[in-house]
Amino acid sequence: MYILIEDIKKHLNIDYEEDDTYIAELIEAAEDAVQKFIQQPLEGLVDEDGKIPASLRHAIRLMVGGFYANRESAAFAAAHEIPYNIHFLMIQYRKLK
């Protein structure tokens, strides 16, 4: 994992451990989704400190936050896309075939 559970918990303002396993699974799913979207492995983008680019780290945080808050596919409020969100953060790393 390129994003630590502690980082996600800070992002989500979570101070308990009951959901740590679930959050780890969400991180794994988000990292997998990002790799598939940008069409390249995250490991190829790791810098000398072992980190992926900040925009991809934040995209993963946002994605995990969305997965955590919305655990089902149904919503009861109108959804609106937020400008400069996940797509904007990831598109710059997408490899075109």
Side-chain angles (χ1 to χ4, degrees):
M1 287 191 311
Y2 297 98
I3 304 294
L4 300 175
I5 291 173
E6 292 76 20
D7 183 38
I8 295 297
K9 288 171 70 171
K10 183 177 179 182
H11 175 73
L12 298 175
N13 293 320
I14 295 173
D15 62 358
Y16 48 87
E17 298 176 3
E18 288 80 12
D19 287 347
D20 283 7
T21 301
Y22 181 62
I23 292 170
E25 292 173 358
L26 296 179
I27 294 169
E28 185 178 352
E31 288 181 355
D32 184 54
V34 167
Q35 289 183 108
K36 287 185 169 103
F37 181 84
I38 65 173
Q39 299 177 3
Q40 60 180 314
L42 291 174
E43 61 198 31
L45 299 171
V46 174
D47 66 14
E48 59 276 352
D49 296 325
K51 294 184 176 183
I52 57 174
S55 56
L56 293 178
R57 288 194 317 267
H58 194 59
I60 291 166
R61 283 186 202 106
L62 292 173
M63 196 175 293
V64 170
F67 292 159
Y68 188 82
N70 303 293
R71 298 179 187 208
E72 303 296 330
S73 59
F76 299 101
H80 300 283
E81 184 174 346
I82 300 170
Y84 306 111
N85 207 338
I86 295 171
H87 187 265
F88 177 78
L89 294 169
M90 293 189 301
I91 195 70
Q92 59 196 324
Y93 292 96
R94 190 166 194 180
K95 278 195 169 187
L96 302 176
K97 294 181 179 182

